[in-house]
Amino acid sequence: MANFLTRIFGSRNQRLLREYSKVVDNINALEEGIKALDDAALRARTAEFKQRYTAGETLDDLLAEAFAVAREASVRTMHLRPFDVQLIGGMVLHDGNIAEMRTGEGKTLMSTLPTYLNAIGGDGVHIVTVNEYLAQRDADWMRPIYEFLGLTVGVSKSGQSPDEKRAAYQCDVTYATNNELGFDYLRDNLAFSTADKAQRKLNFAIVDEVDSILIDEARTPLIISGPAESSTDLYAQINKLIPKLRQHDETDEATNFDITSNKVSLVDQNGSPVRGDADDSGEMGLEEAVSIAEQRDADVVLISVEGKIAKCRLVIRGDYTTDEKTKQAHITEEGHQRVETLMTQAGLLAEGESLYDVVNIRLLHHLSSALRAHTMYQCDVDYIVKDGEVVIVDEFTGRTMPGRRWGDGLHQAVEAKEGVSIKQENQTVASITFQNYFRLYNNLSGMTGTADTEAFEFQQIYGLEVVVIPTHMDMIRDDQPDLVYLTENDKHEAIIADIVDCSERGQPVLVGTTSIEASELLSSFLKKKSIEHQVLNAKQHEREAQIVQNAGRPGAITIATNMAGRGTDIVLGGNLDAELANAGAGADEPSIREAWDKRHKEVIEAGGLHIVGTERHESRRIDNQLRGRSGRQGDPGSSRFYLSMEDTLMRIFGDPERTKRLLSRAGMREGEAIESRLLSRQIERAQRKVEAHNFDIRKNLLEYDDVANDQRKVVYHQRSELMDADEIEDSVA
């Protein structure tokens, strides 16, 4: 029945687009009249709109005229005329919804339309970006439009003085990262006077890459902390014990009395036969095998069954187990005894005391942090060591987060592991989740190229509807099927071969990796072959703008982490505007343009930008963001992901050993690639598992924070009232 009605009336998305198209016709009807105005008259429309708004007209009443004025200002200052689909996207944002537009369709320019309209109200507009590079870039890029129309533009960044912060938020339009906005809100609510506050009323926000900010990053609350009074010596002492512990070899095979055969043949961890008491043939009863294993602190693990005899091996029990899904490490029973012995020898535990005694809870906490630091957190993947400090790397954006620290002693444990100065533990002074911060805005909206898969969560948590905006030009990018290899080495060889092929044909290549470590590994392979390339990761972020400007040149090879995945505009042939700006005032502009035009055509003939994905990310949206760097605005392009059964995603959430066995039985050999819908479905299933797992984490975090949020609102409101009041007698009474 639902499908029948959809066929007659169209889907919800189609009906919304039809309604918005009627308003687009009204805006287009005003175009000729607006064009006839001179610059001064066009600028004067802003003051007129403000006056009419004060007189009682709503922003909805002003929408068509304001959009027409903003579009004309864009034409005059930027020589860019927003398309009709961008006008629709602007209306979606003004209505407090999410506009899903394909990458390269001009989201940044589109956002100027609702920003101008909502700035008329005088309460300010916040445009939220995923990093400070994009905040500064977009503010500088769109500034001419706003300033032409008489609006002020500011950027709130980390490291600014209080006066600079206040000046940024007093502007009509403020660009900032989600982290900076959240921390500024918390800092304002720790201020001792109204004059020390930076932010104004939270009026209207447009969140760029809304799925990254409101979904991916919403697992981590924002916390402002102060130093706690505790020594850091214990971290260094516990750190020395961890290398003496052995990881437990977990298995999916039957162990001990779960083995169904009564007779077993047993080998030890070196493969040597283990003899029973009664039989020299190496065969023994299951009970005897388990008894021998117990004496050696080991388990009997099934290898295979031949007839009635189960072939088994002894696996020595380790001291701890790891869970890569949750990034946790747990001490086993054997490990508990070993740790107590080691701590007693180190003088941390008194003779006869237990690690689980109430007085030793702190030791247990430090042990857990140190275990996680050694087993779950890797240098050049989760963090980098820079200038004697451990700096966290954001897993979604690939950028470093200076000043951010893990909680619960984990950061100190990582510092101890890396041998750098261990800083004091912190205690929470103020905290808020992104979910509860962004729900404080009177009107919240967002834009991205990849939101539809998370439409349910956007609606449930934020009350935001996702509207899919059609493309201005048809997408002609060739998304080739994934190639799957048995081993990581085979995969790397195929990737290098693809890169070399593209480079020889003059086609630029962007190679996407999931970590700094992976980007540097691929770089080392290319260096061995003396192939020129650029690496863009958190260690080279100072050179980001320059690398991106040249990434579209003929034959250019750029290896990048997720840093190049969002908001990065790679122009085919290289960035002409940047080239002209770098050339300076006296440069020969016509010859620069001619050379760029030649390069541009050369790249288009070679097939446009080619995207190489070196493995699947946990989230399908991040894979799609990488693909979206190519084929922008009707440009040609191509993409292919190279995978192996040893990739992290497959190892943790898939069943790689079983799949490997099936592929080997089917005749697949090392070095061969396979394209298979069955495998693609398995990979997608693994990604869905991760997405569901992460959704549960976010939901759990929000449920906890909702309790604190009710109290936070009351306390912060009362605090503000007390600061604003001349007399506090009535409030205190």
Side-chain angles (χ1 to χ4, degrees):
M1 184 66 181
N3 289 340
F4 173 70
L5 291 172
T6 300
R7 279 202 299 273
I8 296 174
F9 300 109
S11 66
R12 163 80 176 157
N13 201 77
Q14 288 166 335
R15 294 197 300 276
L16 284 170
L17 292 176
R18 279 201 296 270
E19 288 299 313
Y20 286 130
S21 295
K22 292 173 188 173
V23 185
V24 169
D25 293 339
N26 297 339
I27 297 167
N28 288 336
L30 297 167
E31 189 165 20
E32 288 307 313
I34 298 288
K35 263 185 182 176
L37 299 173
D38 62 20
D39 287 359
L42 187 64
R43 196 175 290 115
R45 294 301 298 268
T46 303
E48 181 201 319
F49 292 147
K50 286 183 177 180
Q51 196 176 355
R52 284 164 60 185
Y53 177 76
T54 310
E57 285 191 53
T58 66
L59 293 179
D60 288 343
D61 297 333
L62 299 170
L63 187 145
E65 291 175 75
F67 273 37
V69 166
R71 178 159 73 176
E72 183 57 27
S74 173
V75 171
R76 294 188 191 186
T77 57
M78 310 278 290
H79 309 294
L80 295 169
R81 180 185 177 276
F83 306 122
D84 288 357
V85 289
Q86 287 170 299
L87 297 180
I88 291 172
M91 284 183 269
V92 170
L93 295 179
H94 170 67
D95 286 346
N97 288 316
I98 290 171
E100 177 175 302
M101 292 180 81
R102 283 287 183 95
T103 46
E105 286 292 305
K107 292 189 288 290
T108 309
L109 182 64
M110 173 190 79
S111 67
T112 60
L113 303 165
T115 299
Y116 173 62
L117 175 62
N118 283 270
I120 287 165
D123 288 322
V125 175
H126 293 168
I127 298 179
V128 190
T129 65
V130 287
N131 58 64
E132 289 188 351
Y133 162 72
L134 289 177
Q136 190 65 58
R137 185 201 75 175
D138 291 354
D140 293 341
W141 191 10
M142 297 296 128
R143 191 185 301 274
I145 298 174
Y146 298 126
E147 291 185 345
F148 178 87
L149 293 167
L151 301 180
T152 52
V153 183
V155 184
S156 173
K157 294 191 289 191
S158 58
Q160 286 177 323
S161 68
D163 289 339
E164 287 172 325
K165 283 272 183 201
R166 275 189 290 278
Y169 285 113
Q170 285 304 314
C171 291
D172 297 304
V173 183
T174 306
Y175 284 81
T177 64
N178 50 320
N179 291 329
E180 208 54 36
L181 285 166
F183 283 131
D184 286 340
Y185 169 77
L186 292 175
R187 279 191 283 262
D188 279 358
N189 284 291
L190 294 172
F192 287 105
S193 71
T194 308
D196 293 335
K197 289 188 171 188
Q199 287 186 348
R200 295 191 283 164
K201 181 177 161 189
L202 299 178
N203 173 42
F204 178 61
I206 297 174
V207 183
D208 193 9
E209 306 300 358
V210 66
D211 56 319
S212 173
I213 290 170
L214 298 190
I215 301 285
D216 295 334
E217 297 197 32
R219 278 193 280 162
T220 312
L222 293 169
I223 296 170
I224 288 182
S225 52
E229 293 178 17
S230 62
S231 167
T232 59
D233 296 344
L234 194 54
Y235 287 104
Q237 290 172 293
I238 297 282
N239 183 64
K240 291 174 186 171
L241 307 183
I242 304 300
K244 297 174 183 176
L245 303 180
R246 184 176 57 242
Q247 185 171 352
H248 182 65
D249 184 12
E250 292 185 273
T251 177
D252 293 329
E253 302 296 342
T255 58
N256 299 335
F257 292 112
D258 291 333
I259 298 167
T260 53
S261 303
N262 290 323
K263 281 274 185 188
V264 301
S265 67
L266 195 60
V267 294
D268 64 17
Q269 61 269 33
N270 300 317
S272 304
V274 177
R275 306 288 179 197
D277 293 335
D279 194 341
D280 290 336
S281 67
E283 292 174 9
M284 65 186 85
L286 180 61
E287 281 193 32
E288 187 182 355
V290 173
S291 173
I292 291 170
E294 286 291 340
Q295 291 165 22
R296 302 189 186 189
D297 285 335
D299 291 311
V300 178
V301 177
L302 180 68
I303 301 172
S304 63
V305 179
E306 294 178 5
K308 292 183 179 180
I309 308 294
K311 291 184 76 174
C312 301
R313 63 191 170 101
L314 281 179
V315 175
I316 303 295
R317 291 172 193 152
D319 301 313
Y320 62 88
T321 60
T322 58
D323 184 347
E324 290 186 273
K325 288 182 188 178
T326 57
K327 282 208 161 188
Q328 295 292 336
H330 305 284
I331 291 286
T332 61
E333 277 187 53
E334 287 73 15
H336 170 222
Q337 291 167 10
R338 180 159 172 71
V339 165
E340 284 187 347
T341 305
L342 290 170
M343 284 187 174
T344 305
Q345 289 169 357
L348 297 171
L349 205 61
E351 196 74 49
E353 269 190 357
S354 168
L355 187 56
Y356 289 94
D357 286 348
V358 176
V359 290
N360 296 323
I361 288 297
R362 191 156 161 260
L363 282 176
L364 194 62
H365 168 71
H366 277 66
L367 175 68
S368 174
S369 298
L371 254 185
R372 289 177 68 203
H374 276 264
T375 58
M376 294 285 101
Y377 290 81
Q378 293 179 54
C379 188
D380 289 346
V381 177
D382 302 293
Y383 62 90
I384 61 171
V385 178
K386 187 178 181 185
D387 301 328
E389 288 193 359
V390 170
V391 185
I392 299 172
V393 174
D394 188 316
E395 64 175 303
F396 298 105
T397 64
R399 294 172 187 276
T400 54
M401 300 193 288
R404 292 284 286 273
R405 292 176 69 80
W406 290 302
D408 294 329
L410 177 61
H411 210 99
Q412 285 79 4
V414 174
E415 286 170 335
K417 169 187 146 186
E418 293 295 338
V420 299
S421 172
I422 304 170
K423 293 185 179 173
Q424 269 190 308
E425 274 190 60
N426 292 324
Q427 57 189 3
T428 300
V429 177
S431 76
I432 193 169
T433 58
F434 282 127
Q435 290 101 320
N436 278 322
Y437 172 71
F438 281 109
R439 292 195 297 193
L440 293 170
Y441 280 88
N442 293 335
N443 193 3
L444 177 65
S445 63
M447 51 190 186
T448 181
T450 47
D452 207 29
T453 55
E454 311 294 343
F456 172 74
E457 187 169 349
F458 281 125
Q459 186 71 59
Q460 189 186 41
I461 306 287
Y462 302 99
L464 295 171
E465 185 173 2
V466 176
V467 181
V468 181
I469 312 294
T471 55
H472 174 64
M473 296 175 79
D474 290 337
M475 171 71 72
I476 59 169
R477 184 182 68 230
D478 176 21
D479 291 332
Q480 297 160 1
D482 299 349
L483 287 180
V484 184
Y485 293 83
L486 282 177
T487 68
E488 210 160 22
N489 283 339
D490 294 341
K491 178 184 80 169
H492 286 143
E493 283 176 17
I495 289 168
I496 300 299
D498 193 3
I499 292 170
V500 171
D501 174 58
C502 290
S503 183
E504 285 173 352
R505 290 186 292 102
Q507 185 177 16
V509 189
L510 175 65
V511 185
T513 64
T514 55
S515 68
I516 298 169
E517 185 183 48
S519 68
E520 291 180 342
L521 178 66
L522 268 179
S523 174
S524 69
F525 292 151
L526 289 176
K527 278 177 186 168
K528 282 176 189 171
K529 290 182 177 285
S530 303
I531 297 168
E532 195 178 327
H533 62 281
Q534 296 290 337
V535 179
L536 175 58
N537 60 34
K539 291 182 178 177
Q540 280 91 18
H541 68 94
E542 295 90 354
R543 296 173 53 235
E544 178 175 3
Q546 184 194 341
I547 292 170
V548 170
Q549 284 164 17
N550 297 321
R553 285 175 173 257
I557 300 168
T558 311
I559 299 173
T561 57
N562 298 339
M563 280 179 73
R566 284 188 185 270
T568 308
D569 192 3
I570 295 173
V571 182
L572 301 187
N575 192 315
L576 177 61
D577 293 338
E579 199 176 340
L580 289 170
N582 293 337
D588 183 1
E589 193 174 315
S591 63
I592 292 173
R593 286 184 182 277
E594 190 182 329
W596 177 84
D597 199 46
K598 187 183 172 188
R599 290 198 308 270
H600 183 70
K601 285 174 182 166
E602 197 181 319
V603 170
I604 285 175
E605 283 166 16
L609 180 67
H610 181 55
I611 302 292
V612 173
T614 59
E615 63 182 280
R616 289 283 193 174
H617 196 274
E618 286 183 357
S619 166
R620 288 169 292 166
R621 287 176 291 101
I622 291 174
D623 292 340
N624 292 336
Q625 283 288 347
L626 176 62
R627 275 202 169 110
R629 299 311 99 204
S630 174
R632 295 159 78 88
Q633 300 242 341
D635 283 340
S638 56
S639 72
R640 191 191 286 276
F641 275 79
Y642 290 84
L643 316 173
S644 86
M645 300 315 296
E646 295 173 353
D647 287 350
T648 307
L649 181 78
M650 295 304 294
R651 194 182 72 247
I652 301 173
F653 289 91
D655 189 354
E657 291 307 318
R658 179 173 165 272
T659 312
K660 261 187 176 180
R661 284 199 300 272
L662 288 172
L663 291 173
S664 297
R665 280 179 204 157
M668 186 177 176
R669 298 283 172 265
E670 287 196 7
E672 291 178 359
I674 190 168
E675 291 178 26
S676 158
R677 284 184 184 175
L678 176 74
L679 274 175
S680 296
R681 278 200 299 272
Q682 188 182 340
I683 292 157
E684 207 162 294
R685 263 200 307 274
Q687 287 179 308
R688 282 208 184 98
K689 275 186 194 173
V690 187
E691 286 165 9
H693 174 70
N694 290 343
F695 174 66
D696 289 340
I697 292 173
R698 290 190 294 270
K699 200 174 171 192
N700 198 32
L701 174 69
L702 185 61
E703 283 167 0
Y704 272 101
D705 194 58
D706 276 343
V707 178
N709 197 46
D710 294 336
Q711 297 172 6
R712 187 191 298 116
K713 279 180 180 173
V714 172
V715 171
Y716 284 0
H717 177 69
Q718 210 159 19
R719 203 173 184 278
S720 296
E721 276 188 344
L722 288 170
M723 283 197 290
D724 291 339
D726 295 325
E727 296 288 333
I728 63 167
E729 212 171 285
D730 294 338
S731 302
V732 173

